């Protein structure tokens, strides 16, 4: 009976057109079938103007040597949230429309702690850092900051404070050695297709330390990051072992995944083999794209979900409190629901505010003719909403027409666009308009908080929040990165929580604060105490 009611329930509705969003993604697809064309499409949810409403930034790909736009200049787009699910295109005034490189994704955060989120745009053969001037405009400060990632194909990026100095540092997941001059020709039945990723040698990712004066130092080599080349696509920053230092899970494509344990002192060590997340159970590296982290089984420890290629299954790794992690891909039924899909963006979110984190995943294949060689797989694929029973076992939910339609899904971000306490989502479909999923759910209790760091970074990335009410406990983290080519609303919502709650915050600085008197059904700002 429950399954029947869910089948007729409109949970998410695409409001992009009625919201006034006219932008369209462009990847420069050409007869050359450059692999970069297949992976682009980023999105950020951020409050760029500080008015309390979440705005939208879309990152396009760009033109290729023989893939030109017939609809005018290719551009990114920034849409200001006007309220009532209406948005206004403010790209021209903001100065975020164009970059001199092929775009991939976005990472938004307040790197200089001035109260306004800045934006890093990744891409090939460089990236760019845009400083938020606080007046609705941005300035390209890449050269001064020293974060161009020159010569690399940058994919996802994550802001996090790896050295706990109160300033956000930047990790850029680099993919592969690539050049538009190096045309790799692959065919299927005489027609051009994208060559396998293994034709492109993997590259080291980069770590930039924030110097606090508007510049960054490339510490990829001394940190140990540069010694681990591979085809990196997704990254999430979270303290997986609860030692107070932010770690990194890096999802990689036909290269072993990385679990970079932060040792303090500015160095990382890869414990992926010991954690048993580097390879599948047969010792083969999966084609990892997106990754996210959170507590899926209610044990107050962060688990990881990774999206992979079709027939590989999207993977779930449960944190047992010590290494190795326990792979629950089959037991959770994630394998059952994801076998035919190529996954990209993934987010742990409590879509119905019942207190358990669910899964939202966007999918889409690379090869137009895939169905001719494998009838079980499609080129365009539907997204998935998987409801969690609280013990990391999932049920597929028919959440509305979008979930029965098909897309070339790539980057996906989540956040509360209308401040009603229920998470919305936005994703990119290659060469299509974006999909803006408004959450139509109502009725459940919720309690929202927004943290503001003082000794910690202002965004409080790295904070751990534990809410207790009666006999129930919720544990959440403010992570860096997450999903694929995306950046998210960092406010935390506790679904099902009432006003008798007590919130414990462990700030990134290490300070512990206990807060009572929180109000249900609204967001409230909590400022880190100075002592």
């Amino acid at each position: 009976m429950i399954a029947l009611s869910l089948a007729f329930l409109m949970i998410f509705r695409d409001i992009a057109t009625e919201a006034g969003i006219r932008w369209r993604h462009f990847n420069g697809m050409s007869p050359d079938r450059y692999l970069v064309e297949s992976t682009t499409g980023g999105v950020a949810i951020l409050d760029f103007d500080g008015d309390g409403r979440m705005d939208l930034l879309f990152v396009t790909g760009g033109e290729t040597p023989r893939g030109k736009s017939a609809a005018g200049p290719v551009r990114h787009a920034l849409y200001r949230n006007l309220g009532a699910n209406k948005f206004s295109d403010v790209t021209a005034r903001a100065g975020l429309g164009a970059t001199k490189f092929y775009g991939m994704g976005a990472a938004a955060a307040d790197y200089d702690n001035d109260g306004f989120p800045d934006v890093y745009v990744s891409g090939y053969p460089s990236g760019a850092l845009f400083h938020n001037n606080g007046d609705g405009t941005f300035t390209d400060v890449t050269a001064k900051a020293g974060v161009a990632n020159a010569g690399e194909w940058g994919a996802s990026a994550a802001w996090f404070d790896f050295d706990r100095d109160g300033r956000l540092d930047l990790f850029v997941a680099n993919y592969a050695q690539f050049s538009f001059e190096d045309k790799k020709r692959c065919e299927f039945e005489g027609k051009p297709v994208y060559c396998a990723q293994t034709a492109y040698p993997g590259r080291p990712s980069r770590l930039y330390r924030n110097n606090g004066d508007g510049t960054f130092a490339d510490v990829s080599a001394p940190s140990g990051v540069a010694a681990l080349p591979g085809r990196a696509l997704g990254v999430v920053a979270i303290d997986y072992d609860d030692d107070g230092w932010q770690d990194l899970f890096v999802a990689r494509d036909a290269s072993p995944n990385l679990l970079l344990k932060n040792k303090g002192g500015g160095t990382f060590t890869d414990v992926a083999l010991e954690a048993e997340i580097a390879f599948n159970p047969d010792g083969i590296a999966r084609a990892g794209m997106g990754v996210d982290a959170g507590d899926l089984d209610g044990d107050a420890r962060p688990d990881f979900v990774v999206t992979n290629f079709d027939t590989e299954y999207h993977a779930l790794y449960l944190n047992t409190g010590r290494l190795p992690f326990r792979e629950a891909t089959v037991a959770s039924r994630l394998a059952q629901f994801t076998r035919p899909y190529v996954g990209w963006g993934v987010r742990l979110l409590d879509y119905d505010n019942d207190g358990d984190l669910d899964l939202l995943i966007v999918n889409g294949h690379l090869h137009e003719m895939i169905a001719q060689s494998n009838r079980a797989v499609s080129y365009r694929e539907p997204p998935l909403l998987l409801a969690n029973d609280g013990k990391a076992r999932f049920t597929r939910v028919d959440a509305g027409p979008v979930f029965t339609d098909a897309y070339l899904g790539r980057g996906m971000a989540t956040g509360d666009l209308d401040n009603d306490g229920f998470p919305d989502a936005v994703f990119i479909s290659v060469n299509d308009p974006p999909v803006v999923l408004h959450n139509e759910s109502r009725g459940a209790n919720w309690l929202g908080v927004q943290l503001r760091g003082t000794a910690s970074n202002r965004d409080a990335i790295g904070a751990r929040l534990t809410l207790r009410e009666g006999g129930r406990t919720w544990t959440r983290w403010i992570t860096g990165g997450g999903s694929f080519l995306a950046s998210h609303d960092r406010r935390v919502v506790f679904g099902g929580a009432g006003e008798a709650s007590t919130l414990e915050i462990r700030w990134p600085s290490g300070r512990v604060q206990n807060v009572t008197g929180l109000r249900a059904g609204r967001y409230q700002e909590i400022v880190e105490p100075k002592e």
Side-chain angles (χ1 to χ4, degrees):
M1 190 67 183
I2 293 176
L4 183 62
S5 65
L6 286 175
F8 291 92
L9 186 63
M10 172 77 80
I11 297 173
F12 285 103
R13 181 171 63 91
D14 183 7
I15 63 167
T17 300
E18 66 188 75
I21 295 171
R22 304 287 182 260
W23 177 88
R24 190 183 188 100
H25 179 264
F26 182 78
N27 79 335
M29 181 181 284
S30 71
D32 300 306
R33 290 300 191 270
Y34 292 111
L35 189 61
V36 72
E37 301 165 6
S38 69
T39 58
T40 172
V43 58
I45 295 178
L46 73 164
D47 181 8
F48 83 93
D49 54 0
D51 66 355
R53 295 188 292 260
M54 290 291 146
D55 311 299
L56 300 175
L57 173 65
F58 301 109
V59 177
T60 196
E63 294 184 328
T64 59
R66 291 201 292 167
K68 304 301 182 182
S69 170
V74 177
R75 67 181 183 99
H76 314 304
L78 178 65
Y79 280 86
R80 181 173 181 264
N81 191 336
L82 304 177
N85 291 327
K86 300 295 183 182
F87 290 79
S88 174
D89 189 337
V90 295
T91 311
R93 181 175 187 275
L96 288 176
T99 52
K100 297 179 180 179
F101 53 85
Y102 190 95
M104 290 291 290
D110 185 3
Y111 76 85
D112 56 355
N113 294 326
D114 67 353
F116 293 94
D118 312 293
V119 175
Y120 185 82
V121 177
S122 62
Y124 166 79
S126 64
L129 177 60
F130 293 91
H131 177 260
N132 189 332
N133 301 319
D135 60 359
T137 69
F138 290 78
T139 299
D140 187 339
V141 296
T142 311
K144 175 187 175 183
V147 292
N149 197 33
E152 301 291 353
W153 173 354
S156 300
W159 293 100
F160 74 126
D161 183 6
F162 79 87
D163 52 4
R164 292 177 51 172
D165 65 356
R167 298 186 293 262
L168 289 174
D169 312 298
L170 178 65
F171 179 91
V172 183
N174 285 329
Y175 187 60
Q177 183 176 315
F178 175 81
S179 170
F180 285 129
E181 284 71 46
D182 181 17
K183 297 180 182 179
K184 299 183 186 296
R185 180 74 179 179
C186 295
E187 295 182 348
F188 177 79
E189 295 185 351
K191 297 180 180 179
V193 296
Y194 296 113
C195 294
Q197 73 279 72
T198 50
Y200 301 83
R203 293 288 300 160
S205 295
R206 283 187 177 167
L207 178 63
Y208 296 97
R209 181 182 183 274
N210 190 334
N211 295 324
D213 60 359
T215 69
F216 291 74
D218 186 342
V219 294
S220 308
S223 68
V225 169
L228 299 164
R231 289 172 288 271
L233 284 174
V235 59
V236 65
I238 194 169
D239 180 8
Y240 82 87
D241 55 359
D242 202 34
D243 66 355
W245 296 91
Q246 295 296 290
D247 312 298
L248 293 168
F249 189 117
V250 184
R252 305 204 298 183
D253 185 9
S255 302
N257 295 327
L258 303 177
L259 183 57
L260 299 179
K261 176 179 170 56
N262 190 337
K263 298 167 63 178
T267 63
F268 292 81
T269 185
D270 180 26
V271 297
L273 282 174
E274 184 181 356
E276 296 184 2
I277 60 92
F279 302 97
N280 74 4
D282 296 322
I284 299 170
R286 292 176 166 119
M289 271 73 89
V291 60
D292 202 21
D295 180 13
L296 285 168
D297 55 1
D299 64 359
R301 294 187 287 261
D303 311 303
F304 294 104
V305 175
V306 182
T307 53
N308 297 303
F309 214 75
D310 67 84
T311 72
E312 293 183 340
Y313 318 120
H314 304 350
L316 171 61
Y317 302 102
L318 295 179
N319 190 336
T320 65
R322 61 178 185 272
L323 300 183
F325 281 69
R326 178 168 65 88
E327 179 161 345
T329 303
V330 174
S332 67
R333 296 188 284 202
L334 194 58
Q336 173 185 338
F337 297 123
T338 64
R339 178 183 174 86
Y341 300 128
V342 177
W344 301 87
V346 55
R347 284 292 280 171
L348 280 63
L349 79 170
D350 185 1
Y351 79 90
D352 54 358
N353 278 341
D354 68 352
D356 300 317
L357 292 176
D358 312 297
L359 284 180
L360 180 62
I361 303 170
V362 296
N363 307 291
H365 216 284
L366 280 72
H367 304 299
E368 303 136 285
M369 295 173 284
I370 185 63
Q372 298 177 32
S373 60
N374 184 349
R375 293 184 179 180
V377 178
S378 299
Y379 178 47
R380 304 177 71 90
E381 299 174 332
L384 294 171
L385 179 63
L386 303 178
N388 182 7
D389 68 356
K391 299 179 181 179
R393 284 178 59 86
F394 300 107
T395 301
R396 185 170 182 173
V397 179
D398 181 0
V402 168
F403 293 81
T404 57
D405 207 341
Y407 304 86
L408 300 177
R410 294 299 185 262
M412 186 259 288
T414 59
D416 187 357
L417 298 179
D418 55 358
N419 293 331
D420 67 352
F422 289 85
D424 309 300
V426 184
F427 71 87
I428 300 296
S429 182
V430 176
N431 289 333
D432 289 330
V435 178
V436 180
L437 292 174
H438 178 259
N439 193 329
E440 305 281 297
S441 302
R442 295 290 183 273
N445 289 337
W446 63 278
L447 187 157
V449 298
Q450 180 170 11
L451 302 189
R452 179 160 65 84
T454 54
S456 304
N457 66 86
R458 188 181 175 95
D459 289 343
I461 294 173
R464 171 178 165 149
L465 301 89
T466 304
L467 189 78
R468 297 181 177 89
E469 182 185 21
R472 188 167 190 183
T473 300
W474 297 254
T475 305
R476 302 289 185 262
W477 293 261
I478 300 180
T479 60
S483 189
F484 176 70
L485 304 182
S487 194
H488 316 277
D489 183 352
R490 292 196 177 89
R491 295 175 297 178
V492 177
V493 173
F494 296 94
E499 297 189 354
S501 303
T502 299
L503 177 64
E504 177 188 279
I505 304 167
R506 189 177 72 189
W507 294 88
S509 65
R511 292 174 179 169
V512 176
Q513 179 182 8
N514 288 285
V515 181
T516 57
L518 295 169
R519 302 291 300 275
R522 66 181 63 182
Y523 291 100
Q524 41 247 296
E525 183 180 65
I526 301 173
V527 179
E528 181 181 13
K530 294 186 180 297
E531 295 182 1

